[in-house]
Amino acid sequence: MLRSLVGSEMCIRDRAVVQAAQGACDDELRSAAIFAMCKCMIVSEQFCESHLRLLFTLLQSGNSSPRTRSLIVVALGDLAFRFPNLLEPWNDHMYSCLQDQDTDVRKNMLMVMTHLVLNDMIKAKGKIYLVALCLEDSDDRIKDLARLFWSEFSTKGNALYNVIPDLISNLSICGTISQDGFRAVMKVLMSSISKDKQCESLVEKLCHRIADSKETKPGLGLLFCMSQLNMSHRAVGKLIEHRNTYTHLLCEQEAQDHLQAVVNKCRKFATAEMKAVLDDLEKILSGEKKEEAAPADGEDAAVTDSAVKALKPARGQKAAKKKPPRRKKVVMESSDDEEEEDLDCFDYDEEEIEIEKENLVKPKARSRRARA
């Protein structure tokens, strides 16, 4: 008899809630009916499973008042604690409440999510980046709650390390945050990565994300995130090792500024190993700057290349060997004994040989005149 009484009461309550969803009653009655339905959902798993869709429809409906939505948000926290497996497929819809127009609804949802995530009742995945957006909320209370959430979340082992690559990618393409807001959020999050192993692995993952991104803006955002890390010499070595993933971005001045920020930050307390890897990173930057600073001498380079090619022998032809100058026999005649002597001239130029001939002919003519 008790079951039939409870069943009949639920049927009446269901009809009242449906009418409330259709806007057939005032806000007080609607809130009371939804509150009663949430209590019944906490008691019965079967009733909860069959009415979850209706509950989220009311939550996202434009007809529901902020008071009603805040009531549903608080009830969802109790339901997630009572039946976590039933609520798991609806986690993304719960995260979406963090973008509600009403400040109280956002604040209540953030408090609920903080409780559920930090106590491992729901997994931090999917739209967790919406919690990061709360760091730039217009309400100061929500900003403080978001900072508290991330400071506590960063202490849970590798939790922050596991979600931050997807979080960065989602924030990079998110249209609801400005570039300054994105940088402010990432400064808070990246400063929480303190372990060297996590930093090294994160640099490698972000480099691969840059290679996979087809647009320039997400790549620049990933480079900025790396510039906010407290890198060890091994992390900088990973950055140099995967330089091929971001060299196409170095034509942008912003990308060069981010890498220069890494160098300047690590130079402050650099060891000998750190100085060595920073020198290599600066060579990458200086090489790119030289390419940018070089004037457009394409024509001069083409002329030089063509001149070099012209001097080279064509394929299949042997280069002509330069023959050494022949040794010439010069006859020396003396006026006394008229003997001939052979002089070998080595390394004479043609002009020197002609001058030598003239000098030799003159004494010969004089000797003939003397005989005559």
Side-chain angles (χ1 to χ4, degrees):
M1 182 176 179
L2 180 62
R3 290 183 179 178
S4 61
L5 180 62
V6 172
S8 61
E9 183 183 355
M10 286 185 177
C11 291
I12 296 172
R13 190 174 292 118
D14 288 349
R15 285 196 290 270
V17 170
V18 172
Q19 290 177 358
Q22 296 175 350
C25 58
D26 60 0
D27 187 61
E28 292 292 335
L29 179 59
R30 185 183 306 157
S31 299
I34 292 173
F35 184 65
M37 184 185 72
C38 292
K39 283 188 173 182
C40 293
M41 291 174 69
I42 292 174
V43 173
S44 172
E45 181 177 1
Q46 183 178 0
F47 186 80
C48 177
E49 184 178 5
S50 59
H51 289 79
L52 269 178
R53 185 176 296 276
L54 175 60
L55 187 64
F56 277 99
T57 301
L58 292 172
L59 178 61
Q60 298 174 356
S61 174
N63 296 329
S64 301
S65 64
R67 178 187 175 186
T68 302
R69 296 199 301 274
S70 296
L71 182 66
I72 295 174
V73 164
V74 175
L76 285 174
D78 296 332
L79 290 173
F81 176 76
R82 184 77 173 83
F83 308 113
N85 294 332
L86 290 180
L87 269 293
E88 185 177 2
W90 300 92
N91 286 346
D92 287 347
H93 295 278
M94 295 175 66
Y95 281 116
S96 298
C97 295
L98 295 172
Q99 291 184 309
D100 195 278
Q101 295 180 354
D102 186 72
T103 303
D104 291 333
V105 175
R106 295 198 307 273
K107 181 177 72 66
N108 291 337
M109 190 71 251
L110 182 57
M111 294 176 65
V112 169
M113 296 304 295
T114 301
H115 171 69
L116 295 176
V117 173
L118 295 182
N119 290 284
D120 297 325
M121 296 178 191
I122 65 174
K123 295 180 180 180
K125 61 179 184 179
K127 293 187 176 181
I128 186 70
Y129 73 95
L130 294 177
V131 183
L133 284 177
C134 292
L135 290 168
E136 288 296 303
D137 196 90
S138 57
D139 190 81
D140 292 336
R141 297 174 300 169
I142 296 177
K143 285 183 180 180
D144 295 338
L145 285 172
R147 286 182 178 274
L148 177 63
F149 171 86
W150 289 111
S151 63
E152 293 295 327
F153 187 70
S154 62
T155 61
K156 294 177 63 63
N158 296 329
L160 180 59
Y161 164 77
N162 292 332
V163 302
I164 207 161
D166 291 331
L167 190 148
I168 295 172
S169 298
N170 290 324
L171 286 178
S172 299
I173 61 176
C174 181
T176 59
I177 187 171
S178 63
Q179 184 177 8
D180 294 336
F182 171 80
R183 293 186 176 184
V185 169
M186 295 319 303
K187 283 181 180 179
V188 175
L189 298 182
M190 302 306 284
S191 61
S192 301
I193 303 293
S194 56
K195 296 181 180 179
D196 290 343
K197 286 289 185 181
Q198 291 182 354
C199 186
E200 294 170 26
S201 183
L202 190 58
V203 167
E204 189 172 2
K205 284 186 176 182
L206 295 181
C207 286
H208 289 308
R209 290 291 178 110
I210 293 175
D212 295 337
S213 63
K214 298 180 180 179
E215 298 181 0
T216 303
K217 183 179 177 181
L220 293 175
L222 292 168
L223 278 178
F224 172 79
C225 295
M226 284 191 281
S227 68
Q228 301 305 309
L229 289 171
N230 297 316
M231 293 191 187
S232 62
H233 70 278
R234 293 182 180 177
V236 179
K238 290 287 184 181
L239 185 61
I240 297 172
E241 180 182 350
H242 296 86
R243 60 185 177 274
N244 292 332
T245 60
Y246 57 82
T247 48
H248 65 284
L249 295 175
L250 292 180
C251 59
E252 300 286 340
Q253 183 61 40
E254 183 180 346
Q256 296 182 23
D257 293 341
H258 295 330
L259 291 179
Q260 190 63 46
V262 173
V263 175
N264 297 337
K265 189 175 184 179
C266 296
R267 281 281 185 198
K268 293 180 180 179
F269 306 100
T271 60
E273 296 176 340
M274 177 64 81
K275 289 179 181 178
V277 292
L278 288 178
D279 290 341
D280 294 339
L281 184 57
E282 284 185 329
K283 287 179 182 177
I284 296 174
L285 281 174
S286 61
E288 189 64 28
K289 288 178 181 178
K290 286 180 182 178
E291 290 181 3
E292 290 184 356
D297 293 340
E299 296 180 358
D300 296 343
V303 171
T304 305
D305 293 340
S306 61
V308 172
K309 291 179 180 179
L311 293 175
K312 292 182 179 179
R315 193 174 286 181
Q317 296 180 355
K318 294 183 178 180
K321 295 183 178 180
K322 189 176 180 181
K323 295 182 180 180
R326 294 180 179 178
R327 297 179 180 179
K328 296 187 178 182
K329 185 183 291 186
V330 182
V331 179
M332 300 286 293
E333 293 187 5
S334 176
S335 57
D336 299 328
D337 51 5
E338 298 181 2
E339 295 179 354
E340 296 180 355
E341 294 179 321
D342 295 340
L343 298 177
D344 294 335
C345 301
F346 299 98
D347 301 330
Y348 275 82
D349 294 335
E350 292 182 359
E351 294 180 1
E352 295 180 356
I353 293 172
E354 292 295 333
I355 294 171
E356 190 68 23
K357 284 182 178 180
E358 292 178 2
N359 294 334
L360 292 174
V361 169
K362 290 178 180 179
K364 188 174 181 180
R366 290 176 182 174
S367 60
R368 287 178 181 174
R369 290 175 184 173
R371 289 177 185 176

